[in-house]
Each structure stands twice: as structure tokens, then as C-alpha cells.
């Protein structure tokens, strides 16, 4: 399906196969995307407001200068995406049960974002402000936290994370035991 119009409002896109589609500078308001495949598509300059993606493939999409305002991702595959290149004004999104691997969130201000029960492997959160972010139930294996603000973040039930206490701010963050013991790894301390 071709997205020939420039803007779309209150539309539902169901089972759309758009691999490699050019959606640059398109505008989507209150739209639903269900079981769509947008892998390798270009969303550069596009705008999504009050939208939801469910059971969709967003692997390797290009999102330079893309805008996300109140966007929800549920059960989506989001692999190899450079979120660090999005338009940061009014950014608001949440991720639930998503695969978010090999992505880049470097240097973003994404306070209060929800990453609930996600797989977030080998993803870069360096220099990112994650104040109040909810990572509960997520697998953060190999994800990078360096000079990251994790104050008041919720990592309850999160696993496989490595957070160096000397390189990150974590005041008021919530952790679950026994995973919280990994916070001592940067000190070379052995618990028995």
C-alpha cells in the first residue's frame, strides 16, 4: 500500500506490508498501526501524534528528525533504530512487550518513558536523561549506561543490566533483589 496522502487522521492501518517504504515528512494523527511491517522504511521528518503501533515490525527504520508525541508501541519489533536522531521537542512515547535491540537512545531527554516487560539488548543509553523511567520487567542484557541519569527510575524485576555506580546517577532508583547485587560489579566486590 502506498501512502500517497501527506497527512492521515483517525485511520487504522491493518496488516500493511510496507518494507522499504518512503514515509518521509508524512503526518499521522490518532492513527492505529496493527500487524504492519515497516522494516527498512524511511520515516525521516514524519510526525506521529496520539498514535499506537501494535504487533508491528519497525526494524531498521530511519527516523531522522521524526516526531513522536504520545505514541504507544505494543508487542513491536524495533531493532537497529537510531532514536537519538529524532526531533526532541515534546517527545513522549511508551513501549510495552517490545523487542528493542541494537538501538541508540544516546543523549536524549526521555524522562518518565515506560519500557515495560521489553527485551532491550545491546542498546545505548549513554548520556541519556532517564529520570523516572520505568524499566520494570525488562531484559537489559548488554545495554550501555554511561553518564546516564537514572534518578527515580524503576528497574523492579529488570534483569541482566550493568550500571556502574561511579559513572551514572541513580539516586532514588528502584531495584529488585537479587539483580540489584550487580550494582556492586563495578567495585569488584564478591557477595557470598
Amino acid at each position: 500500500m502506498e501512502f500517497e496522502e501527506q497527512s492521515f487522521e483517525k485511520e487504522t492501518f491493518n496488516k500493511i506490508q510496507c518494507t522499504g517504504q518512503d514515509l518521509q515528512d508524512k503526518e499521522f494523527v490518532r492513527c492505529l498501526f496493527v500487524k504492519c511491517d515497516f522494516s527498512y522504511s524511511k520515516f525521516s521528518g514524519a510526525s506521529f501524534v496520539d498514535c499506537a503501533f501494535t504487533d508491528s515490525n519497525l526494524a531498521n527504520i530511519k527516523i531522522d528528525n521524526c516526531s513522536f508525541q504520545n505514541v504507544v508501541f505494543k508487542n513491536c519489533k524495533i531493532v537497529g533504530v537510531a532514536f537519538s536522531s529524532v526531533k526532541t521537542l515534546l517527545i513522549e512515547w511508551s513501549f510495552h512487550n517490545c523487542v528493542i535491540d541494537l538501538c541508540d537512545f544516546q543523549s536524549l531527554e526521555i524522562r518518565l518513558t515506560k519500557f515495560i516487560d521489553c527485551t532491550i539488548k545491546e542498546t545505548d543509553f549513554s548520556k541519556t536523561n532517564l529520570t523516572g523511567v520505568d524499566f520494570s520487567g525488562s531484559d537489559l542484557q548488554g545495554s550501555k549506561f554511561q553518564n546516564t541519569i537514572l534518578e527515580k527510575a524503576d528497574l523492579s524485576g529488570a534483569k541482566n543490566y550493568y550500571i556502574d555506580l561511579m559513572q551514572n546517577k541513580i539516586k532514588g532508583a528502584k531495584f529488585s533483589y537479587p539483580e540489584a547485587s550487580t550494582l556492586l560489579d563495578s567495585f569488584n566486590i564478591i557477595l557470598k
Side-chain angles (χ1 to χ4, degrees):
M1 173 183 181
E2 294 292 325
F3 288 87
E4 295 174 7
E5 303 293 322
Q6 188 61 34
S7 63
F8 303 86
E9 188 169 352
K10 294 183 182 177
E11 294 203 33
T12 298
F13 302 97
N14 195 13
K15 298 181 181 178
I16 304 297
Q17 297 297 314
C18 289
T19 303
Q21 186 80 9
D22 186 351
L23 299 168
Q24 294 186 77
D25 301 316
K26 302 288 184 185
E27 181 181 60
F28 300 90
V29 179
R30 292 188 296 278
C31 292
L32 300 175
F33 302 90
V34 182
K35 297 183 179 180
C36 296
D37 185 355
F38 289 111
S39 56
Y40 297 96
S41 291
K42 294 176 185 172
F43 284 57
S44 301
S47 174
F48 296 89
V49 179
D50 299 325
C51 294
F53 290 85
T54 304
D55 300 315
S56 294
N57 184 355
L58 299 161
N60 299 297
I61 59 172
K62 303 295 180 214
I63 56 173
D64 300 328
N65 211 29
C66 190
S67 176
F68 294 96
Q69 296 176 25
N70 193 32
V71 177
V72 177
F73 299 91
K74 292 184 180 177
N75 305 312
C76 291
K77 178 181 178 182
I78 307 169
V79 177
V81 178
F83 285 101
S84 58
S85 66
V86 299
K87 188 181 291 185
T88 57
L89 184 66
L90 302 174
I91 190 170
E92 184 182 351
W93 51 27
S94 64
F95 304 85
H96 305 268
N97 298 306
C98 292
V99 174
I100 308 170
D101 294 349
L102 303 167
C103 290
D104 179 4
F105 288 91
Q106 261 189 88
S107 302
L108 287 178
E109 288 270 340
I110 52 174
R111 300 166 181 246
L112 304 175
T113 295
K114 294 185 185 314
F115 293 95
I116 308 293
D117 298 320
C118 293
T119 299
I120 310 171
K121 295 182 179 178
E122 305 291 332
T123 291
D124 194 348
F125 291 103
S126 298
K127 300 177 185 173
T128 303
N129 187 340
L130 298 172
T131 301
V133 166
D134 190 346
F135 282 114
S136 57
S138 292
D139 184 346
L140 295 158
Q141 184 178 5
S143 288
K144 183 177 181 181
F145 297 93
Q146 187 171 7
N147 298 317
T148 303
I149 301 172
L150 286 156
E151 294 176 348
K152 299 181 182 175
D154 187 353
L155 284 96
S156 302
K159 61 184 181 179
N160 297 322
Y161 51 82
Y162 174 78
I163 299 170
D164 187 331
L165 297 177
M166 302 303 287
Q167 294 184 7
N168 299 284
K169 296 179 182 179
I170 65 165
K171 185 177 180 179
K174 298 176 189 174
F175 298 91
S176 297
Y177 189 79
E179 289 80 14
S181 63
T182 65
L183 295 171
L184 299 174
D185 288 351
S186 58
F187 295 110
N188 247 351
I189 295 173
I190 298 170
L191 294 178
K192 290 191 175 202

PDB file of all heavy atoms in Angstrom, residues 143-166:
ATOM      1  N   SER A 143      23.049  -3.717  27.368  1.00  0.00           N
ATOM      2  CA  SER A 143      22.735  -2.310  27.124  1.00  0.00           C
ATOM      3  C   SER A 143      23.716  -1.424  27.877  1.00  0.00           C
ATOM      4  O   SER A 143      24.214  -1.765  28.937  1.00  0.00           O
ATOM      5  CB  SER A 143      21.294  -1.996  27.535  1.00  0.00           C
ATOM      6  OG  SER A 143      20.404  -2.582  26.605  1.00  0.00           O
ATOM      7  N   LYS A 144      24.011  -0.267  27.291  1.00  0.00           N
ATOM      8  CA  LYS A 144      25.065   0.605  27.806  1.00  0.00           C
ATOM      9  C   LYS A 144      24.478   1.801  28.551  1.00  0.00           C
ATOM     10  O   LYS A 144      23.677   2.556  28.000  1.00  0.00           O
ATOM     11  CB  LYS A 144      25.919   1.080  26.632  1.00  0.00           C
ATOM     12  CG  LYS A 144      27.093   1.931  27.015  1.00  0.00           C
ATOM     13  CD  LYS A 144      27.902   2.273  25.768  1.00  0.00           C
ATOM     14  CE  LYS A 144      29.119   3.117  26.096  1.00  0.00           C
ATOM     15  NZ  LYS A 144      29.862   3.463  24.879  1.00  0.00           N
ATOM     16  N   PHE A 145      24.916   1.944  29.811  1.00  0.00           N
ATOM     17  CA  PHE A 145      24.552   3.088  30.637  1.00  0.00           C
ATOM     18  C   PHE A 145      25.856   3.770  31.042  1.00  0.00           C
ATOM     19  O   PHE A 145      26.594   3.241  31.874  1.00  0.00           O
ATOM     20  CB  PHE A 145      23.783   2.645  31.880  1.00  0.00           C
ATOM     21  CG  PHE A 145      22.471   1.990  31.578  1.00  0.00           C
ATOM     22  CD1 PHE A 145      22.385   0.613  31.459  1.00  0.00           C
ATOM     23  CD2 PHE A 145      21.322   2.740  31.401  1.00  0.00           C
ATOM     24  CE1 PHE A 145      21.168  -0.007  31.178  1.00  0.00           C
ATOM     25  CE2 PHE A 145      20.107   2.140  31.113  1.00  0.00           C
ATOM     26  CZ  PHE A 145      20.032   0.763  30.999  1.00  0.00           C
ATOM     27  N   GLN A 146      26.152   4.905  30.453  1.00  0.00           N
ATOM     28  CA  GLN A 146      27.373   5.632  30.775  1.00  0.00           C
ATOM     29  C   GLN A 146      27.047   7.116  30.801  1.00  0.00           C
ATOM     30  O   GLN A 146      26.531   7.661  29.823  1.00  0.00           O
ATOM     31  CB  GLN A 146      28.455   5.337  29.749  1.00  0.00           C
ATOM     32  CG  GLN A 146      29.794   5.929  30.110  1.00  0.00           C
ATOM     33  CD  GLN A 146      30.895   5.443  29.174  1.00  0.00           C
ATOM     34  OE1 GLN A 146      30.654   4.765  28.194  1.00  0.00           O
ATOM     35  NE2 GLN A 146      32.117   5.810  29.495  1.00  0.00           N
ATOM     36  N   ASN A 147      27.335   7.760  31.950  1.00  0.00           N
ATOM     37  CA  ASN A 147      26.963   9.166  32.156  1.00  0.00           C
ATOM     38  C   ASN A 147      25.461   9.351  31.934  1.00  0.00           C
ATOM     39  O   ASN A 147      25.019  10.322  31.330  1.00  0.00           O
ATOM     40  CB  ASN A 147      27.771  10.090  31.233  1.00  0.00           C
ATOM     41  CG  ASN A 147      29.255  10.014  31.527  1.00  0.00           C
ATOM     42  OD1 ASN A 147      29.666  10.010  32.685  1.00  0.00           O
ATOM     43  ND2 ASN A 147      30.063   9.928  30.487  1.00  0.00           N
ATOM     44  N   THR A 148      24.717   8.383  32.434  1.00  0.00           N
ATOM     45  CA  THR A 148      23.262   8.356  32.281  1.00  0.00           C
ATOM     46  C   THR A 148      22.603   8.778  33.593  1.00  0.00           C
ATOM     47  O   THR A 148      23.075   8.432  34.672  1.00  0.00           O
ATOM     48  CB  THR A 148      22.806   6.930  31.899  1.00  0.00           C
ATOM     49  OG1 THR A 148      23.483   6.542  30.695  1.00  0.00           O
ATOM     50  CG2 THR A 148      21.313   6.852  31.674  1.00  0.00           C
ATOM     51  N   ILE A 149      21.502   9.509  33.499  1.00  0.00           N
ATOM     52  CA  ILE A 149      20.739   9.885  34.697  1.00  0.00           C
ATOM     53  C   ILE A 149      19.596   8.893  34.841  1.00  0.00           C
ATOM     54  O   ILE A 149      18.700   8.831  33.999  1.00  0.00           O
ATOM     55  CB  ILE A 149      20.201  11.325  34.589  1.00  0.00           C
ATOM     56  CG1 ILE A 149      21.357  12.317  34.401  1.00  0.00           C
ATOM     57  CG2 ILE A 149      19.387  11.671  35.835  1.00  0.00           C
ATOM     58  CD1 ILE A 149      20.904  13.731  34.083  1.00  0.00           C
ATOM     59  N   LEU A 150      19.668   8.104  35.908  1.00  0.00           N
ATOM     60  CA  LEU A 150      18.648   7.091  36.195  1.00  0.00           C
ATOM     61  C   LEU A 150      17.939   7.390  37.514  1.00  0.00           C
ATOM     62  O   LEU A 150      17.392   6.495  38.153  1.00  0.00           O
ATOM     63  CB  LEU A 150      19.300   5.705  36.262  1.00  0.00           C
ATOM     64  CG  LEU A 150      19.716   5.103  34.927  1.00  0.00           C
ATOM     65  CD1 LEU A 150      20.817   4.089  35.104  1.00  0.00           C
ATOM     66  CD2 LEU A 150      18.516   4.473  34.251  1.00  0.00           C
ATOM     67  N   GLU A 151      17.949   8.646  37.921  1.00  0.00           N
ATOM     68  CA  GLU A 151      17.328   9.017  39.190  1.00  0.00           C
ATOM     69  C   GLU A 151      15.834   8.722  39.167  1.00  0.00           C
ATOM     70  O   GLU A 151      15.157   9.010  38.188  1.00  0.00           O
ATOM     71  CB  GLU A 151      17.604  10.485  39.495  1.00  0.00           C
ATOM     72  CG  GLU A 151      19.089  10.736  39.748  1.00  0.00           C
ATOM     73  CD  GLU A 151      19.436  12.198  39.973  1.00  0.00           C
ATOM     74  OE1 GLU A 151      18.586  13.072  39.713  1.00  0.00           O
ATOM     75  OE2 GLU A 151      20.575  12.454  40.407  1.00  0.00           O
ATOM     76  N   LYS A 152      15.365   8.118  40.236  1.00  0.00           N
ATOM     77  CA  LYS A 152      13.950   7.741  40.401  1.00  0.00           C
ATOM     78  C   LYS A 152      13.463   6.771  39.324  1.00  0.00           C
ATOM     79  O   LYS A 152      12.264   6.615  39.115  1.00  0.00           O
ATOM     80  CB  LYS A 152      13.058   8.973  40.459  1.00  0.00           C
ATOM     81  CG  LYS A 152      13.389   9.878  41.628  1.00  0.00           C
ATOM     82  CD  LYS A 152      12.481  11.076  41.686  1.00  0.00           C
ATOM     83  CE  LYS A 152      12.882  11.968  42.849  1.00  0.00           C
ATOM     84  NZ  LYS A 152      12.126  13.203  42.884  1.00  0.00           N
ATOM     85  N   ALA A 153      14.376   6.117  38.619  1.00  0.00           N
ATOM     86  CA  ALA A 153      13.991   5.112  37.619  1.00  0.00           C
ATOM     87  C   ALA A 153      13.532   3.846  38.325  1.00  0.00           C
ATOM     88  O   ALA A 153      13.971   3.547  39.444  1.00  0.00           O
ATOM     89  CB  ALA A 153      15.164   4.796  36.698  1.00  0.00           C
ATOM     90  N   ASP A 154      12.657   3.090  37.708  1.00  0.00           N
ATOM     91  CA  ASP A 154      12.154   1.843  38.277  1.00  0.00           C
ATOM     92  C   ASP A 154      12.708   0.665  37.473  1.00  0.00           C
ATOM     93  O   ASP A 154      12.330   0.466  36.323  1.00  0.00           O
ATOM     94  CB  ASP A 154      10.625   1.834  38.252  1.00  0.00           C
ATOM     95  CG  ASP A 154      10.025   0.642  38.982  1.00  0.00           C
ATOM     96  OD1 ASP A 154      10.784  -0.258  39.407  1.00  0.00           O
ATOM     97  OD2 ASP A 154       8.790   0.622  39.128  1.00  0.00           O
ATOM     98  N   LEU A 155      13.609  -0.080  38.104  1.00  0.00           N
ATOM     99  CA  LEU A 155      14.167  -1.276  37.479  1.00  0.00           C
ATOM    100  C   LEU A 155      13.692  -2.523  38.224  1.00  0.00           C
ATOM    101  O   LEU A 155      14.354  -3.560  38.222  1.00  0.00           O
ATOM    102  CB  LEU A 155      15.700  -1.205  37.444  1.00  0.00           C
ATOM    103  CG  LEU A 155      16.243  -0.265  36.365  1.00  0.00           C
ATOM    104  CD1 LEU A 155      16.552   1.101  36.931  1.00  0.00           C
ATOM    105  CD2 LEU A 155      17.452  -0.848  35.694  1.00  0.00           C
ATOM    106  N   SER A 156      12.537  -2.442  38.850  1.00  0.00           N
ATOM    107  CA  SER A 156      11.959  -3.589  39.568  1.00  0.00           C
ATOM    108  C   SER A 156      11.714  -4.722  38.590  1.00  0.00           C
ATOM    109  O   SER A 156      11.049  -4.545  37.573  1.00  0.00           O
ATOM    110  CB  SER A 156      10.623  -3.203  40.218  1.00  0.00           C
ATOM    111  OG  SER A 156      10.784  -2.126  41.094  1.00  0.00           O
ATOM    112  N   GLY A 157      12.272  -5.870  38.878  1.00  0.00           N
ATOM    113  CA  GLY A 157      12.077  -7.026  38.019  1.00  0.00           C
ATOM    114  C   GLY A 157      12.902  -6.982  36.746  1.00  0.00           C
ATOM    115  O   GLY A 157      12.866  -7.909  35.953  1.00  0.00           O
ATOM    116  N   ALA A 158      13.653  -5.898  36.530  1.00  0.00           N
ATOM    117  CA  ALA A 158      14.536  -5.828  35.360  1.00  0.00           C
ATOM    118  C   ALA A 158      15.719  -6.763  35.609  1.00  0.00           C
ATOM    119  O   ALA A 158      16.060  -7.069  36.747  1.00  0.00           O
ATOM    120  CB  ALA A 158      15.019  -4.401  35.141  1.00  0.00           C
ATOM    121  N   LYS A 159      16.333  -7.235  34.528  1.00  0.00           N
ATOM    122  CA  LYS A 159      17.445  -8.167  34.698  1.00  0.00           C
ATOM    123  C   LYS A 159      18.535  -7.927  33.662  1.00  0.00           C
ATOM    124  O   LYS A 159      18.328  -7.222  32.680  1.00  0.00           O
ATOM    125  CB  LYS A 159      16.951  -9.607  34.607  1.00  0.00           C
ATOM    126  CG  LYS A 159      16.303  -9.962  33.281  1.00  0.00           C
ATOM    127  CD  LYS A 159      15.748 -11.376  33.285  1.00  0.00           C
ATOM    128  CE  LYS A 159      15.123 -11.696  31.945  1.00  0.00           C
ATOM    129  NZ  LYS A 159      14.584 -13.054  31.894  1.00  0.00           N
ATOM    130  N   ASN A 160      19.680  -8.531  33.924  1.00  0.00           N
ATOM    131  CA  ASN A 160      20.834  -8.528  33.013  1.00  0.00           C
ATOM    132  C   ASN A 160      21.377  -7.136  32.714  1.00  0.00           C
ATOM    133  O   ASN A 160      21.932  -6.909  31.654  1.00  0.00           O
ATOM    134  CB  ASN A 160      20.497  -9.241  31.697  1.00  0.00           C
ATOM    135  CG  ASN A 160      20.183 -10.698  31.911  1.00  0.00           C
ATOM    136  OD1 ASN A 160      20.805 -11.362  32.730  1.00  0.00           O
ATOM    137  ND2 ASN A 160      19.201 -11.207  31.186  1.00  0.00           N
ATOM    138  N   TYR A 161      21.250  -6.208  33.652  1.00  0.00           N
ATOM    139  CA  TYR A 161      21.794  -4.878  33.443  1.00  0.00           C
ATOM    140  C   TYR A 161      23.159  -4.744  34.126  1.00  0.00           C
ATOM    141  O   TYR A 161      23.463  -5.439  35.077  1.00  0.00           O
ATOM    142  CB  TYR A 161      20.852  -3.786  33.954  1.00  0.00           C
ATOM    143  CG  TYR A 161      20.373  -3.978  35.367  1.00  0.00           C
ATOM    144  CD1 TYR A 161      21.168  -3.600  36.448  1.00  0.00           C
ATOM    145  CD2 TYR A 161      19.133  -4.540  35.625  1.00  0.00           C
ATOM    146  CE1 TYR A 161      20.719  -3.775  37.751  1.00  0.00           C
ATOM    147  CE2 TYR A 161      18.683  -4.718  36.917  1.00  0.00           C
ATOM    148  CZ  TYR A 161      19.483  -4.328  37.985  1.00  0.00           C
ATOM    149  OH  TYR A 161      19.055  -4.522  39.260  1.00  0.00           O
ATOM    150  N   TYR A 162      23.975  -3.844  33.601  1.00  0.00           N
ATOM    151  CA  TYR A 162      25.236  -3.468  34.235  1.00  0.00           C
ATOM    152  C   TYR A 162      25.238  -1.952  34.312  1.00  0.00           C
ATOM    153  O   TYR A 162      25.246  -1.268  33.288  1.00  0.00           O
ATOM    154  CB  TYR A 162      26.456  -3.957  33.448  1.00  0.00           C
ATOM    155  CG  TYR A 162      27.758  -3.445  34.039  1.00  0.00           C
ATOM    156  CD1 TYR A 162      28.298  -4.043  35.171  1.00  0.00           C
ATOM    157  CD2 TYR A 162      28.403  -2.346  33.492  1.00  0.00           C
ATOM    158  CE1 TYR A 162      29.472  -3.562  35.731  1.00  0.00           C
ATOM    159  CE2 TYR A 162      29.573  -1.859  34.054  1.00  0.00           C
ATOM    160  CZ  TYR A 162      30.093  -2.475  35.178  1.00  0.00           C
ATOM    161  OH  TYR A 162      31.251  -1.991  35.745  1.00  0.00           O
ATOM    162  N   ILE A 163      25.199  -1.439  35.545  1.00  0.00           N
ATOM    163  CA  ILE A 163      25.176   0.004  35.756  1.00  0.00           C
ATOM    164  C   ILE A 163      26.314   0.346  36.712  1.00  0.00           C
ATOM    165  O   ILE A 163      26.290  -0.044  37.879  1.00  0.00           O
ATOM    166  CB  ILE A 163      23.815   0.459  36.331  1.00  0.00           C
ATOM    167  CG1 ILE A 163      22.692   0.127  35.347  1.00  0.00           C
ATOM    168  CG2 ILE A 163      23.836   1.949  36.646  1.00  0.00           C
ATOM    169  CD1 ILE A 163      21.289   0.317  35.898  1.00  0.00           C
ATOM    170  N   ASP A 164      27.311   1.062  36.213  1.00  0.00           N
ATOM    171  CA  ASP A 164      28.456   1.472  37.018  1.00  0.00           C
ATOM    172  C   ASP A 164      28.017   2.643  37.895  1.00  0.00           C
ATOM    173  O   ASP A 164      27.645   3.710  37.379  1.00  0.00           O
ATOM    174  CB  ASP A 164      29.604   1.881  36.100  1.00  0.00           C
ATOM    175  CG  ASP A 164      30.895   2.162  36.854  1.00  0.00           C
ATOM    176  OD1 ASP A 164      30.836   2.588  38.031  1.00  0.00           O
ATOM    177  OD2 ASP A 164      31.969   1.962  36.266  1.00  0.00           O
ATOM    178  N   LEU A 165      28.075   2.446  39.218  1.00  0.00           N
ATOM    179  CA  LEU A 165      27.626   3.477  40.153  1.00  0.00           C
ATOM    180  C   LEU A 165      28.494   4.737  40.101  1.00  0.00           C
ATOM    181  O   LEU A 165      28.051   5.808  40.506  1.00  0.00           O
ATOM    182  CB  LEU A 165      27.613   2.925  41.580  1.00  0.00           C
ATOM    183  CG  LEU A 165      26.644   1.777  41.822  1.00  0.00           C
ATOM    184  CD1 LEU A 165      26.758   1.265  43.259  1.00  0.00           C
ATOM    185  CD2 LEU A 165      25.218   2.203  41.542  1.00  0.00           C
ATOM    186  N   MET A 166      29.705   4.618  39.617  1.00  0.00           N
ATOM    187  CA  MET A 166      30.602   5.767  39.547  1.00  0.00           C
ATOM    188  C   MET A 166      30.377   6.603  38.270  1.00  0.00           C
ATOM    189  O   MET A 166      30.791   7.744  38.204  1.00  0.00           O
ATOM    190  CB  MET A 166      32.068   5.300  39.598  1.00  0.00           C
ATOM    191  CG  MET A 166      32.410   4.503  40.849  1.00  0.00           C
ATOM    192  SD  MET A 166      32.081   5.392  42.387  1.00  0.00           S
ATOM    193  CE  MET A 166      33.417   6.561  42.366  1.00  0.00           C
TER     194      MET A 166
END
